[in-house]
Amino acid sequence: MQVTQEDGGRLNAFAKEPRMEVIAESSSRSNASRLLIMAGAVLVVALMAVSVAIS
């Protein structure tokens, strides 16, 4: 840990931050997320249709 001392004599300790790793976006994850969003939209529309049919 990195420790600094202020004017009044107080000590401040700073935690060491982990390295950041950049993850490249792959096309398969992009397609999977689009498919999941489309499936959710279809589910919402189907539930709305069922609720209209019941009422």
Side-chain angles (χ1 to χ4, degrees):
M1 280 199 309
Q2 181 179 4
V3 178
T4 60
Q5 188 171 5
E6 291 184 353
D7 294 334
R10 291 189 319 185
L11 297 177
N12 281 337
F14 298 98
K16 185 176 180 182
E17 295 182 6
R19 286 189 179 186
M20 293 179 63
E21 295 182 20
V22 178
I23 300 174
E25 183 178 343
S26 63
S27 61
S28 63
R29 285 188 179 181
S30 177
N31 289 339
S33 65
R34 284 189 191 139
L35 181 62
L36 185 61
I37 290 172
M38 289 176 59
V42 168
L43 178 65
V44 168
V45 169
L47 290 173
M48 289 173 65
V50 168
S51 66
V52 168
I54 290 174
S55 64

